[in-house]
Amino acid sequence: MTQRYVVRTFGCQMNEHDSERIAGLLEADGMMPTDSVEDADVIVLNTCCIRENADNKLYGHLGHLKSLKEQRPDLQIAVAGCLAQKDRDTIRERAPHVDVVFGTHNVHRAADLLTEAREQGPIVEILEETVLEDALAFPSVLPASRDSRHAAWVTIQIGCDNSCAFCIVPAVRGPEISRPFDTVVEEVRQLVDQGVVEVTLLGQNVNSYGRDITKRRPLFAELLREVGAIEGIRRVRYTSPHPKDLRPETISAMAEVPTVCEHLHLPLQSGSDRVLAAMHRGYTGERYLQKLAAARDAVADLAVTTDIIVGFPGETEDDFARTLEVAAEAAYDSAYTFIYSPRPGTEAADRVEDFVDPDVVAERFERLRVVIERSAVAKHAARVGRTEEVVVEGPARRDPDLTSGRTRQNKLVHFAADGLRPGAVATVEITGAGAHHLRGDLQEVVASPRHRLRIPVVAG
Ligand code: SAH
Ligand code: SF4
Ligand code: F3S
């Protein structure tokens, strides 16, 4: 009987991409995907630990799986990803029904570890860091079972060399290592051959891509140009750039390479210079706004999104007022806003006496939401009446009678269209706008999907 697997993803795009690789490895090992945990022989939870609620989510989920494991002792449960990397043995101490724990540096071992555990019993395998000599060090080298046929993540860098005082990522993902330039370009070429029209280049600080290769100068702008020039690619995106390292070359590449989309995700974190310094972010509110203005001057119709943390230890009302000011001036298209969550082992987590009262944080969070929503609504309303190119994603989540697509600015548009498959390219006239999406009327189908349809596999 063919074994069935489920991979559940809890984290960011890198975590999602790792999940695609884990799924690819399990399929290469003869397993088949299923949507239902009840039907699965293997369940992999790919975890995140960026905030405390990410931890809680995992343990809640594991609690639910306990009774399933009791009913079906052959069921294998694996915990992977950042929380596994961080918590290691604690996971099996808290949830002894877990069969395999593996981390962020040995994703390539997913299938082998499950086989070994079937024969030998539970395994916890966490590596301290990526073994570069290992040809499989970069997740993108592994086979993937991608969620989308027309759009793909491409890892260009793993780890992070920064030391933002709130952030656990460097402790989990290790030092920054760039993937060789030619390997990235070759992967994108192959993806385009398979019909992919859109790629998102992934790294924790993409602007410093290549600094470790050249021992000096980052190569990110060159990479954007090279990838953007590949024949058949329609859209190139990237995430995330760090404001301190956003260089004029990158902005020029965005402006000059037609395939690079007009969207910049530039995490602000705070507008207060005092808080930014305590976070070790390496820029001021003013410097951030200057870089943003330069990007907007160079790239016509640039959409800008961000991440902001509310309630960093020691944040005063004045500090927060400055965050509101900078956010209003930045006039974001949208923002991910987070309540500061202490992560043991990070510098800021030790400043317990400076923690901000949760009621104050909640009130600030709401005031920030209002400021962000104001600019988001205005930005979206300004698009009504325009004709936009969208790449179709599939049926709209809330209303499957409608189709959803993304504009070059990464805005979600819902419109009526019969039989347009994911990956199709169409023009849509924007007729309505909310804070989080647009509505439109289909004008013209510009291109059909280039990839082959996924051929359903019949269970054996
Ligand atoms: N490398 C990316 C960030 C990855 S983490 C960058 O620097 O842009 C994604 C976001 O999570 C961060 O931008 C930050 O806003 C948020 N975040 C990270 N640690 C956090 C914490 N301890 N509490 C709350 N939010 C946090
Ligand atoms: Fe975390 Fe800062 Fe690195 Fe981003 S740049 S992953 S916030 S340490
Ligand atoms: Fe991503 Fe969460 Fe890890 S944000 S890098 S999955 S801690």
Side-chain angles (χ1 to χ4, degrees):
M1 259 287 277
T2 307
Q3 290 215 305
R4 291 169 185 270
Y5 76 88
V6 169
V7 182
R8 290 265 184 270
T9 307
F10 292 78
C12 63
Q13 292 100 328
M14 285 172 223
N15 192 244
E16 267 182 53
H17 190 34
D18 285 348
S19 288
E20 293 181 332
R21 298 291 161 183
I22 294 168
L25 286 160
L26 300 188
E27 285 178 31
D29 203 39
M31 295 189 207
M32 273 187 33
T34 169
D35 288 336
S36 138
V37 168
E38 275 71 27
D39 286 348
D41 304 292
V42 168
I43 299 171
V44 183
L45 306 178
N46 193 15
T47 61
C48 170
C49 57
I50 197 85
R51 285 168 290 275
E52 197 179 353
N53 62 358
D55 292 23
N56 297 341
K57 255 196 230 165
L58 171 74
Y59 289 108
H61 219 83
L62 282 175
H64 170 71
L65 293 181
K66 193 169 172 214
S67 54
L68 215 59
K69 177 84 176 177
E70 279 162 6
Q71 290 159 27
R72 294 170 32 217
D74 286 347
L75 169 70
Q76 283 195 297
I77 300 174
V79 178
C82 290
L83 184 59
Q85 184 72 30
K86 175 171 83 71
D87 277 5
R88 303 169 184 222
D89 300 318
T90 325
I91 293 182
R92 286 208 70 255
E93 280 159 25
R94 286 182 67 172
H97 54 292
V98 169
D99 297 281
V100 175
V101 177
F102 63 98
T104 47
H105 302 292
N106 54 349
V107 168
H108 60 282
R109 293 264 296 142
D112 291 346
L113 287 170
L114 284 160
T115 308
E116 287 166 28
R118 218 167 285 135
E119 288 155 8
Q120 302 159 23
I123 302 180
V124 177
E125 184 180 283
I126 300 292
L127 306 187
E128 287 309 320
E129 57 184 39
T130 296
V131 182
L132 258 194
E133 295 71 42
D134 194 327
L136 301 174
F138 288 96
S140 292
V141 182
L142 303 171
S145 171
R146 294 178 184 273
D147 289 342
S148 161
R149 305 252 118 182
H150 67 275
W153 312 112
V154 176
T155 307
I156 65 168
Q157 167 196 64
I158 54 176
C160 179
D161 274 352
N162 291 308
S163 42
C164 303
F166 51 81
C167 184
I168 191 79
V169 170
V172 172
R173 296 253 170 187
E176 207 168 280
I177 305 171
S178 300
R179 205 175 154 203
F181 194 99
D182 294 343
T183 322
V184 175
V185 175
E186 187 47 37
E187 187 189 358
V188 179
R189 268 207 196 101
Q190 286 174 12
L191 288 166
V192 170
D193 281 348
Q194 292 159 19
V196 164
V197 290
E198 175 171 329
V199 291
T200 304
L201 307 179
L202 288 182
Q204 292 294 356
N205 180 8
V206 290
N207 291 112
S208 65
Y209 167 80
R211 219 162 32 185
D212 51 332
I213 300 177
T214 61
K215 302 284 173 250
R216 191 168 59 89
R217 196 173 57 85
L219 296 169
F220 184 62
E222 279 99 320
L223 187 69
L224 266 187
R225 288 181 187 275
E226 191 91 6
V227 166
I230 291 174
E231 208 182 316
I233 194 90
R234 192 175 270 273
R235 291 179 172 183
V236 179
R237 302 185 186 280
Y238 64 90
T239 198
S240 297
H242 191 303
K244 79 175 160 55
D245 297 316
L246 179 62
R247 296 160 72 103
E249 303 94 277
T250 299
I251 294 176
S252 306
M254 286 185 82
E256 289 162 23
V257 182
T259 51
V260 178
C261 288
E262 295 80 10
H263 173 211
L264 180 62
H265 181 74
L266 199 59
L268 171 67
Q269 312 301 1
S270 168
S272 152
D273 295 350
R274 216 179 58 87
V275 173
L276 285 167
M279 287 175 164
H280 310 309
R281 289 289 291 179
Y283 53 88
T284 60
E286 199 49 47
R287 189 80 192 104
Y288 177 97
L289 288 171
Q290 283 165 1
K291 291 208 179 192
L292 195 52
R296 281 191 165 127
D297 278 350
V299 183
D301 198 14
L302 183 71
V304 182
T305 57
T306 199
D307 295 344
I308 300 174
I309 296 177
V310 179
F312 182 80
E315 183 190 77
T316 62
E317 175 54 31
D318 281 355
D319 291 322
F320 180 68
R322 180 66 184 141
T323 297
L324 289 184
E325 222 172 72
V326 175
E329 193 167 334
Y332 293 113
D333 290 77
S334 73
Y336 295 98
T337 51
F338 305 106
I339 288 179
Y340 170 72
S341 171
R343 303 284 59 208
T346 60
E347 187 187 315
D350 291 339
R351 295 179 55 191
V352 178
E353 68 288 359
D354 294 330
F355 283 4
V356 184
D357 179 90
D359 289 340
V360 173
V361 175
E363 181 254 349
R364 287 181 189 164
F365 192 78
E366 175 56 19
R367 281 156 68 200
L368 178 62
R369 191 192 62 76
V370 171
V371 168
I372 300 292
E373 190 162 308
R374 193 176 302 142
S375 60
V377 167
K379 294 273 168 184
H380 281 185
R383 306 201 84 83
V384 174
R386 296 189 191 203
T387 297
E388 308 252 352
E389 179 202 90
V390 302
V391 174
V392 171
E393 293 206 329
R397 278 218 191 121
R398 293 244 172 97
D399 181 356
D401 288 343
L402 292 178
T403 296
S404 289
R406 293 239 172 223
T407 69
R408 288 178 59 91
Q409 281 77 16
N410 208 29
K411 294 187 184 297
L412 202 56
V413 188
H414 303 311
F415 56 100
D418 259 349
L420 268 192
R421 286 197 286 127
V425 185
T427 51
V428 170
E429 189 189 332
I430 306 302
T431 55
H436 303 288
H437 69 269
L438 302 167
R439 288 177 302 282
D441 287 337
L442 177 65
Q443 301 290 297
E444 199 183 340
V445 178
V446 178
S448 301
R450 292 184 41 242
H451 57 271
R452 271 175 266 122
L453 278 174
R454 193 193 278 267
I455 300 167
V457 187
V458 180

